Amino acid sequence: NAGVMQNPRHLVRRRGQEARLRCSPVKGHSHVYWYRQLPEEGLKFMVYLQKENIIDESGMPKERFSAEFPKEGPSILRIQQVVRGDSAAYFCASSPGGSYGYTFGSGTRLTVV
Amino acid sequence: GIQVEQSPPDLILQEGANSTLRCNFSDSVNNLQWFHQNPWGQLINLFYIPSGTKQNGRLSATTVATERYSLLYISSSQTTDSGVYFCAVEGLGGGSNYKLTFGKGTLLTVNP
């Protein structure tokens, strides 16, 4: 039973390019969450999605960032026109809903050069 | 929103020593989890423990929800225990549910 799978593990982008981060939740989990860990900081909530729905995106920057969790396939976090300040580790978590805790992936480390 | 404070911020141990990490939180919680972020950056779930006591090998955790704190015990520490330990809580409602709020972590270094 695989856990949360994130890819790629490392991603390097030049300023102005697009970054696409993928997350496949634990099999059977229909709730997906994205968190960002900036250097020297703890993890901060970005967005909560269920299949085909964004439930809460209050932690996600209003511009350049978007997230989706389609009916089929992984959840995608997209960052357009990346800037150096977007360099961070991005973690995805999933849950079955209810009070069962959250399972985190190994993260994607984005470096913008 | 809910506040999470972890102590100590840094801890250096000799292999074989025991340690206790503390997590205080400012409001009632629906969920509390302890994580270990290893030197490679991976985030590993240690315990889901909104209340009570759990043990897993050399690690155990206790949450006293009524007094709003949790403790993580590491016994007979090993060098592979090094990394950052995070406590994260999920509030009961009012926009806090389903969002984990993380503490700033305890950086543990275990020397051989």
Side-chain angles (χ1 to χ4, degrees):
Chain A
N1 183 16
V4 175
M5 305 301 292
Q6 290 189 248
N7 66 80
R9 288 294 310 278
H10 301 274
L11 182 61
V12 179
R13 284 288 177 265
R14 295 188 184 277
R15 280 177 294 171
Q17 291 185 318
E18 179 180 282
R20 289 168 64 92
L21 288 61
R22 294 175 181 77
C23 168
S24 296
V26 172
K27 188 175 180 180
H29 286 190
S30 58
H31 302 247
V32 166
Y33 314 80
W34 287 91
Y35 286 76
R36 179 167 66 173
Q37 184 178 30
L38 291 166
E40 308 302 319
E41 291 189 19
L43 284 82
K44 306 280 188 197
F45 168 84
M46 296 181 73
V47 61
Y48 163 36
L49 309 104
Q50 294 181 19
K51 284 287 187 181
E52 300 184 279
N53 286 303
I54 297 174
I55 307 302
D56 183 343
E57 55 183 351
S58 60
M60 199 157 65
K62 295 286 187 289
E63 297 182 358
R64 303 187 297 107
F65 284 73
S66 62
E68 62 179 16
F69 188 19
K71 187 177 180 181
E72 301 291 337
S75 175
I76 306 287
L77 179 66
R78 180 184 299 151
I79 311 172
Q80 296 178 300
Q81 300 173 343
V82 295
V83 301
R84 289 225 171 108
D86 297 332
S87 295
Y90 291 83
F91 288 90
C92 172
S94 74
S95 78
S99 299
Y100 296 102
Y102 303 88
T103 302
F104 278 75
S106 294
T108 292
R109 272 142 198 87
L110 172 66
T111 302
V112 180
V113 297
Chain B
I2 196 165
Q3 305 295 315
V4 180
E5 292 185 6
Q6 291 187 242
S7 59
D10 303 277
L11 186 58
I12 300 175
L13 300 174
Q14 286 300 121
E15 204 166 22
N18 302 328
S19 62
T20 301
L21 282 57
R22 187 176 180 102
C23 171
N24 293 333
F25 43 95
S26 61
D27 207 343
S28 300
V29 298
N30 190 40
N31 172 24
L32 186 146
Q33 290 183 247
W34 282 97
F35 296 91
H36 175 216
Q37 188 166 36
N38 64 24
W40 296 270
Q42 294 175 306
L43 199 64
I44 299 160
N45 183 37
L46 298 176
F47 293 104
Y48 166 70
I49 187 164
S51 63
T53 298
K54 290 187 178 179
Q55 179 152 9
N56 184 5
R58 296 181 295 103
L59 273 61
S60 64
T62 295
T63 297
V64 184
T66 53
E67 297 187 21
R68 299 181 183 168
Y69 73 89
S70 183
L71 302 173
L72 178 69
Y73 305 97
I74 305 174
S75 64
S76 305
S77 57
Q78 301 176 356
T79 55
T80 51
D81 294 332
S82 295
V84 182
Y85 289 80
F86 288 106
C87 168
V89 302
E90 175 188 353
L92 279 181
S96 295
N97 53 311
Y98 65 69
K99 296 176 189 175
L100 282 177
T101 299
F102 283 76
K104 296 191 176 190
T106 292
L107 175 59
L108 175 65
T109 303
V110 181
N111 292 321

